[in-house]
Amino acid sequence: MRILGIDPGYGRIGYGIIDKTGNNFKLIDFGVIETDKKADLNSRLVEIYDKMNELISNYTPDESAVESLFFFKNVKTAIEVGEARGVILLSLQKANIPIFEYTPYQVKQSITGYGRAEKGQIQRMLKVVFNLKKNPTPDDAADALAIAFCHGNYRKIV
């Protein structure tokens, strides 16, 4: 089963793609989709949609895992991230890819065993799990990789 993990945003969207066979995980790719900071939000949403469709087309995931919005201090940022998240979900839905959502607590719990783990702890565990030479960066990409791994842990079938 190929899993696409997504850490939503509007300036930078993290993605992580892994394959799960039985209890084995294999890293395929991870990175970020970045939008033009000078563009207005509507243009950035179109850019997200187009790049999500390209990602889906290139990697043909079987399922997706998206981090749910949890808490934002800034309401304007929360709304913009929510709009970008809607575009991401639309891309996945139109491609008929099942969508599963996880809270930050669930993601941290699945990768470190501790739901309040810090980013550094998560990155170090991902380095070990996927046998990487260094911690995965940037943070958005590492988060997306952790989200994909979380989904793989929750999905006991396959």
Side-chain angles (χ1 to χ4, degrees), residues 15-28:
Y15 68 87
I17 298 134
I18 63 172
D19 283 346
K20 180 185 180 196
T21 306
N23 289 325
N24 298 315
F25 291 88
K26 179 182 176 189
L27 174 63
I28 303 302

Side-chain angles (χ1 to χ4, degrees), residues 111-112 120-131 135:
I111 192 84
T112 67
Q121 292 171 289
I122 295 164
Q123 291 171 337
R124 286 189 296 277
M125 285 302 297
L126 290 169
K127 177 184 172 188
V128 170
V129 167
F130 292 110
N131 197 26
N135 289 348

Side-chain angles (χ1 to χ4, degrees), residues 80-134:
E80 290 172 339
V81 172
E83 290 175 349
R85 190 172 181 280
V87 168
I88 291 164
L89 296 176
L90 175 65
S91 297
L92 295 166
Q93 186 66 37
K94 285 193 74 149
N96 295 313
I97 299 168
I99 302 166
F100 298 84
E101 300 181 52
Y102 298 95
T103 66
Y105 183 89
Q106 288 173 303
V107 174
K108 292 173 182 180
Q109 179 77 28
S110 77
I111 192 84
T112 67
Y114 178 58
R116 300 197 190 286
E118 295 180 13
K119 287 198 182 286
Q121 292 171 289
I122 295 164
Q123 291 171 337
R124 286 189 296 277
M125 285 302 297
L126 290 169
K127 177 184 172 188
V128 170
V129 167
F130 292 110
N131 197 26
L132 302 172
K133 293 181 194 240
K134 61 180 186 164

Side-chain angles (χ1 to χ4, degrees), residues 35-36 38-50:
T35 61
D36 183 356
K38 296 176 185 172
D40 64 14
L41 181 61
N42 292 333
S43 298
R44 292 172 100 171
L45 295 176
V46 170
E47 193 174 353
I48 291 167
Y49 183 76
D50 290 343

